[in-house]
């Protein structure tokens, strides 16, 4: 690990151990949930209860979220040197990211406004909300609020902090086992809390309704319309003989 | 020719007394648990009326079933696959709970624990969704016996589809009951609408099911079904539907709704059909031809070539024999008295109906006529309102098949009645295309058929038993949660088809804290029962 000098134990814990813990939970949690809780794996739609507000809230929120996720991929995962190499000037990049980011931010705010309103104030929807739902939604709200403060407050209107030279280096470093702890430790508090809440979401993700995001059924586009299943087709393997599957003890066929 | 077998139901509407026993027993068996309070796999509607969910037959609004595009090709009314994937975040065609009804219960405790006093204690309705007080204003059976008909029945889509003149004649009122379950269609639009591929049609018997483990709650099946017979469980976030009581069918037993019908109006039997011909038949250009087109898809099991081909293609011998004895085949194909419900949805439904003669016969006797064939024939032709209405229900508007079916029923009645009285009626059965034998057979089927004649269901094959169990676990698991009846196959002794035992587990042995009775986790189920006052 490069340059561990001058890093406190707390910083190590917070900016290295916590992220790895979160990533591990994220991966193992998903594997576990997928294996053991197929029945709970759903978008948990509340459209049956309320659809007038959902009509606006859900599509706007989701499309804007995809925009924001794309923005993170471009801004954090793609190194600045690459965009320079293909000849995109820093100034140009900055304005593009600020404008697109602001558009996504507005979408997310509007979308989540509708969604939060119905979840809080429409009794039928509110009654469906489980504890893990509340936790997920609160964490999402925190990440989103801070993310918007960064995009609009700092990047568009403020002093334009160059996160690509700091936060991004630390983040990418995590994936090559070489995180630049000092970069994040010296970043403004706004960015630090945003990043921390994001790790928290990753920890909660596999245990919440957010798993629905992985089930986007693209292959619907080319499968036959009417699905037939034979009563005999899914002859299950004896436990332990298939090699590819493992199942909980006590599950019988 | 690809021969497939399908369990098919026929209901004789004339015998329905509107007692709702079928709805109640089905509910007790399958949907008596939180999340499905509003769900009736079997419901009985009074027609004319809006139905359940309200105006479900208006496909302009709800976009269920199939339609033909400009080139005459079949496509889902709900739009292309791409459109569905793009609108996955919000399904524009989904009914809300208000179209079904806000399910409610009562705080019965207050009645029991009220202190002694002069006033009788009373309770108000409480929403099962929110736990709050509410005023019921619509329900699965709000229109029982034409209740509220003056205000609402004219908005029945089948009435709206009638000509102007007929509308004004509505004073000459008529009514009948229409029991409805899932049609287990040959061309199911629910299955085609499910982006996850969680819904499927069983190859062996055609039963349409939802795999609870693969359903992701995208809720397109609900809007895709024109009969609105897929329901969204608002607690589990998964779709559920009539199972045709498959554990019973596999054991050779009739469905619960059939078994418990006091009028004994339901028939269950096999139909053999040519699966390769289904798509072309469903794409028949003129909707009025769809009834005949679907009949053409069915194969005659008594034809030795068909029987031999069916067995060559893997349909067991006893199934072919059962198909030959099928009461549904007799009613649909031989006697042509059973008709499909809304063939114009192009899903090729497999629950057919014998149209009610009673609105016509009642009207004829009301004006003092003897119930004889000529009079009833005359009445059938002059009573255009019920006739056109029935045609809108059963033949996409074409009058002749309905009229012919009613004539056959009327004539059999007249002949058998005269025979009983030792008279010799002056009627010619060949007018309606029946022989003496046909009339006798039809009488036997409609009037005196015994249990084993009404239900000809070959059991599933024992050699498939262990494998069947895997499917029970997939579809049945939702029933194990939330106070479900606990059908789950996983604790079974492994003996397969015999796996359903009515009393095999105390149904009070239920899920607590999101963990169902089999120990399976369900992270997203809200632990507090909504009726317990989640707020
Ligand atoms: C390809 C991906 C995705 C699909 C197809 C999808 C689809 C859906 C659907 C169908 C619902 C239910 C709406 C209803 O009530 O009927 C939903 C809800 C939700 N989704 Fe997604 N989603 C996706 C990705 C995401 C992502 C990436 C996030 C966030 C990071 C997300 C967050 C949420 C939230 C928070 C809700 C609950 C909204 C509410 O009712 O309060 N989704 N999604
Ligand atoms: S009636 Fe049944 S099989 Fe037909 S589309 Fe509806 S749910 Fe599917
Ligand atoms: S077949 Fe079974 S599940 Fe379907 S409506 Fe009848 S009783 Fe209910």
């Amino acid at each position: 690990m490069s340059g561990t000098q001058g890093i406190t134990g707390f910083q190590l814990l917070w900016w290295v151990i916590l992220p790895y813990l979160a990533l591990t939970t994220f991966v193992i949690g998903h594997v576990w949930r997928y294996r053991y809780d197929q029945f709970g794996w759903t978008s948990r739609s509340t459209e049956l209860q309320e659809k007038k507000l959902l009509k606006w809230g859900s599509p706007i929120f989701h499309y804007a979220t995809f925009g924001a996720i794309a923005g993170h991929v471009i801004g954090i995962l793609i190194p600045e040197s690459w965009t320079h190499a293909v000849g995109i000037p820093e100034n140009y990049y900055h304005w593009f990211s600020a404008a697109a980011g602001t558009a996504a931010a507005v979408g997310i705010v509007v979308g989540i406004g509708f969604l939060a309103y119905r979840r809080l104030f429409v009794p039928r929807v509110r009654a469906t909300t489980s504890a893990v739902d509340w936790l997920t939604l609160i964490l999402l709200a925190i990440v989103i609020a801070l993310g918007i403060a960064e995009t609009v407050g700092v990047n568009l209107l403020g002093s334009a902090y160059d996160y690509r030279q700091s936060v991004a280096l630390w983040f990418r470093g995590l994936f090559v086992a070489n995180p630049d702890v000092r970069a994040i430790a010296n970043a403004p508090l706004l960015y630090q809390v945003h990043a921390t809440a994001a790790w928290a979401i990753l920890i909660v993700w596999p245990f919440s309704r957010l798993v629905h995001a992985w089930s986007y059924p693209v292959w619907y586009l080319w499968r036959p319309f009417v699905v037939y299943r034979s009563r005999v087709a899914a002859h299950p393997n004896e436990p332990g003989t298939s090699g590819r599957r493992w199942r909980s003890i006590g599950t019988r066929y | 020719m690809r021969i497939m077998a399908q369990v098919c139901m026929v209901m004789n509407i004339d015998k329905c007394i509107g007692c709702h026993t079928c709805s109640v027993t089905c509910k007790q068996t399958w949907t008596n648990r939180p999340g499905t309070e509003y769900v009736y796999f079997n419901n009985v509607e009074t027609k004319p009326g809006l139905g359940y969910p309200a105006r479900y037959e208006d496909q302009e609004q709800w976009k269920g079933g199939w339609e033909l595009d400009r080139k005459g090709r079949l496509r889902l009314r709900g739009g292309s696959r791409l459109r569905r994937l793009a609108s996955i975040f919000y399904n524009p065609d989904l009914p809300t709970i208000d179209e079904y009804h806000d399910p409610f219960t009562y705080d019965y405790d207050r009645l029991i624990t009220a202190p002694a006093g002069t006033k009788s204690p009373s309770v108000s309705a409480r929403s099962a969704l929110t736990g709050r007080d509410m005023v019921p204003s619509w329900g699965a059976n709000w229109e029982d016996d034409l209740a509220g008909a003056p205000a609402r029945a004219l908005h029945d889509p089948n009435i709206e589809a009638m000509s102007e003149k007929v509308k004004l004649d509505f004073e000459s009122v008529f009514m009948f009951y229409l029991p409805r379950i899932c049609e287990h269609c040959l061309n199911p639009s629910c299955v085609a609408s499910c982006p996850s591929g969680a819904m499927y049609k069983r190859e062996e018997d055609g039963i349409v099911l939802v795999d609870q483990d693969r359903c992701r709650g995208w809720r397109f099946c609900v809007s895709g079904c024109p009969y609105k017979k897929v329901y969204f469980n608002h607690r589990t976030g998964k779709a559920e539907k009539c199972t045709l009581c498959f554990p019973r069918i596999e054991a050779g037993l009739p469905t619960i709704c059939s078994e418990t019908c006091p009028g004994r109006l339901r028939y269950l039997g096999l139909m053999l059909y040519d699966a390769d011909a289904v798509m072309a038949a469903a794409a028949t250009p003129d909707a009025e031809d769809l009834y005949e087109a679907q009949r053409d898809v069915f194969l005659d099991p008594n034809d030795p070539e068909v029987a031999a081909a069916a067995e060559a293609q893997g349909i067991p011998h006893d199934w072919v024999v059962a198909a030959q004895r099928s009461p549904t085949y007799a009613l649909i194909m031989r006697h042509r008295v059973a008709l499909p419900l809304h063939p114009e949805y192009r899903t090729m439904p497999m629950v057919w109906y014998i149209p009610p003669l009673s609105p016509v016969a009642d009207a004829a006797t009301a004006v003092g006529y003897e119930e004889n064939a000529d009079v009833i024939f005359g009445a059938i032709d002059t009573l255009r309102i019920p006739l056109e209405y029935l045609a809108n229900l059963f033949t996409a508007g074409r009058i002749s098949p309905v009229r012919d079916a009613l004539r056959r029923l009327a004539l059999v009645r007249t002949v058998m009645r005269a025979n009983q009285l030792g008279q010799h009626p002056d009627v010619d059965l060949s007018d309606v295309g029946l022989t003496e034998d046909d009339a006798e057979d039809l009488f036997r089927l409609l009037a005196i058929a015994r249990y084993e004649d009404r239900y000809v269901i070959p059991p599933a094959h024992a050699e498939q038993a262990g494998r069947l169990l895997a499917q029970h676990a997939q579809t049945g698991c939702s029933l194990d949660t939330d106070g479900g009846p606990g059908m789950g196959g996983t604790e079974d002794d492994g003996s397969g088809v015999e796996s359903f035992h009515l009393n095999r587990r105390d149904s009070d042995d239920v899920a607590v804290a999101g963990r169902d009775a089999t120990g399976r986790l369900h992270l997203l189920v809200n632990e507090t029962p909504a009726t317990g006052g989640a707020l």
Side-chain angles (χ1 to χ4, degrees), chain B residues 82-136:
Chain B
L82 212 53
R83 171 167 183 251
R84 210 158 295 113
L85 286 192
S87 62
I88 197 163
F89 312 107
Y90 163 80
N91 176 354
D93 307 320
L94 193 80
T96 66
I97 191 89
D98 291 313
E99 266 86 30
Y100 298 90
H101 68 118
D102 193 339
F104 60 90
T105 180
Y106 296 100
D107 183 5
Y108 293 105
D109 237 24
R110 257 176 65 189
L111 295 180
I112 297 160
T113 56
T118 46
K119 291 199 188 95
S120 322
S122 65
V123 289
S124 67
R126 254 194 184 195
S127 167
L129 295 181
T130 62
R132 299 182 175 192
D133 281 357
M134 62 170 277
V135 179

Side-chain angles (χ1 to χ4, degrees), chain B residues 92-421:
Chain B
D93 307 320
L94 193 80
T96 66
I97 191 89
D98 291 313
E99 266 86 30
Y100 298 90
H101 68 118
D102 193 339
F104 60 90
T105 180
Y106 296 100
D107 183 5
Y108 293 105
D109 237 24
R110 257 176 65 189
L111 295 180
I112 297 160
T113 56
T118 46
K119 291 199 188 95
S120 322
S122 65
V123 289
S124 67
R126 254 194 184 195
S127 167
L129 295 181
T130 62
R132 299 182 175 192
D133 281 357
M134 62 170 277
V135 179
S137 60
W138 177 249
N141 198 32
W142 202 253
E143 312 166 296
D144 210 19
D145 291 340
L146 292 182
R152 264 188 288 257
L154 285 176
H155 300 297
D156 175 336
N158 302 296
I159 294 265
E160 285 184 346
M162 292 163 80
S163 45
E164 197 63 30
K165 178 184 137 281
V166 170
K167 269 188 189 169
L168 301 175
D169 283 347
F170 187 65
E171 283 93 275
S172 48
V173 71
F174 66 98
M175 62 155 267
F176 57 89
Y177 302 106
L178 184 70
R180 294 202 303 122
I181 70 172
C182 163
E183 298 279 348
H184 296 276
C185 308
L186 297 185
N187 182 30
S189 52
C190 57
V191 175
S193 306
C194 170
S196 304
M199 292 192 72
Y200 60 98
K201 193 166 175 65
R202 293 214 299 196
E203 260 165 38
E204 287 81 0
D205 50 20
I207 297 177
V208 176
L209 295 171
V210 187
D211 183 337
Q212 293 291 312
D213 278 352
R214 288 185 69 183
C215 173
R216 298 289 174 243
W218 303 132
R219 38 147 170 59
F220 283 110
C221 54
V222 179
S223 50
C225 170
Y227 304 91
K228 289 293 168 280
K229 279 296 173 188
V230 189
Y231 300 87
F232 195 81
N233 181 322
H234 60 81
R235 269 173 77 88
T236 62
K238 304 241 166 168
E240 295 188 28
K241 63 180 289 300
C242 159
T243 62
L244 206 68
C245 293
F246 71 94
R248 287 178 62 91
I249 295 285
E250 282 165 11
L253 296 170
T255 67
I256 295 284
C257 51
S258 308
E259 171 89 52
T260 57
C261 172
R264 301 180 178 184
L265 59 83
R266 301 196 188 207
Y267 301 82
L268 284 159
L270 285 188
M271 299 298 275
L272 299 185
Y273 69 99
D274 179 4
D276 289 335
V278 169
M279 277 301 167
T284 302
D286 184 352
E288 294 193 6
D289 293 331
L290 279 162
Y291 158 61
E292 282 302 339
Q294 187 168 356
R295 280 180 83 251
D296 289 342
V297 170
F298 300 139
L299 301 170
D300 181 358
N302 292 301
D303 178 340
E305 268 177 40
V306 170
E311 288 191 41
Q313 293 185 25
I315 296 179
H317 177 70
D318 57 330
W319 280 53
V320 176
V321 173
Q324 291 166 348
R325 290 185 48 228
S326 166
T328 54
Y329 185 84
L331 294 166
I332 292 171
M333 297 302 286
R334 182 168 165 206
H335 303 306
R336 281 165 291 139
V337 290
L339 305 168
L341 181 64
H342 288 305
E344 71 274 21
Y345 299 160
R346 299 179 185 274
T347 61
M348 305 265 120
M350 288 303 283
V351 174
W352 287 39
Y353 294 87
I354 301 175
L357 189 58
S358 46
V360 181
D362 288 353
T365 36
V367 288
Y369 290 114
E370 266 293 296
E371 214 184 272
N372 84 35
D374 284 346
V375 173
I376 291 191
F377 276 17
I380 289 173
D381 286 338
T382 49
L383 286 178
R384 289 214 29 247
I385 304 171
L387 209 55
E388 200 180 326
Y389 184 83
L390 292 173
N392 283 346
L393 271 185
F394 298 122
T395 51
R398 178 166 292 169
I399 305 275
S400 54
V402 182
R403 186 176 53 212
D404 292 348
L406 292 179
R407 284 182 165 198
R408 263 174 229 123
L409 296 171
L411 213 59
V412 169
R413 250 193 221 193
T414 313
V415 169
M416 297 315 295
R417 180 186 188 170
N419 286 350
Q420 294 277 314
L421 298 172

Side-chain angles (χ1 to χ4, degrees), chain A residues 97-110:
Chain A
S97 77
T102 305
V106 170
I108 292 188
V109 168
V110 172

Side-chain angles (χ1 to χ4, degrees), chain A residues 32-34 36-52 54-56 58-59 62-63 66 123-133 206-209 211-213 215-236 250-253, chain B residues 4 38 66 76 81-82 84-86 88-92 94-98 102 129-130 132 187 191-197 199-205 211-219 232 234-238 250 460 464 467-468 470-471 474 477-478 481 490 492 521-524 526 535:
Chain A
W32 173 81
R33 181 91 186 271
Y34 194 79
Y36 284 83
D37 187 30
Q38 281 292 319
F39 182 45
W41 195 290
T42 156
S43 69
R44 197 81 211 286
S45 164
T46 50
E47 188 176 340
L48 186 74
Q49 285 92 331
E50 196 289 325
K51 72 182 277 184
K52 288 204 181 79
L54 188 80
K55 174 180 182 177
W56 299 103
S58 183
H62 278 96
Y63 283 118
F66 298 148
R124 284 175 179 179
V125 177
R126 185 172 174 145
T128 66
T129 315
S130 62
V132 68
D133 273 338
F207 313 103
S208 73
R209 62 135 48 100
V211 292
H212 73 268
S215 295
Y216 191 72
V218 213
W219 47 280
Y220 176 56
L221 290 175
W222 55 83
R223 76 131 212 260
F225 258 141
V226 177
V227 177
Y228 289 90
R229 263 204 228 173
S230 172
R231 287 199 302 218
V232 298
H235 184 89
T251 304
R252 289 184 55 182
Y253 281 107
Chain B
M4 296 185 83
Y38 79 101
W66 304 84
L76 287 170
R81 302 178 197 235
L82 212 53
R84 210 158 295 113
L85 286 192
I88 197 163
F89 312 107
Y90 163 80
N91 176 354
L94 193 80
T96 66
I97 191 89
D98 291 313
D102 193 339
L129 295 181
T130 62
R132 299 182 175 192
N187 182 30
V191 175
S193 306
C194 170
S196 304
M199 292 192 72
Y200 60 98
K201 193 166 175 65
R202 293 214 299 196
E203 260 165 38
E204 287 81 0
D205 50 20
D211 183 337
Q212 293 291 312
D213 278 352
R214 288 185 69 183
C215 173
R216 298 289 174 243
W218 303 132
R219 38 147 170 59
F232 195 81
H234 60 81
R235 269 173 77 88
T236 62
K238 304 241 166 168
E250 282 165 11
Q464 303 167 355
R467 294 138 178 198
L468 280 179
Q471 217 165 24
Q474 283 167 0
C477 59
S478 79
T481 48
T490 44
D492 214 270
L521 266 184
H522 190 324
L523 287 178
L524 291 181
N526 185 12
L535 278 178

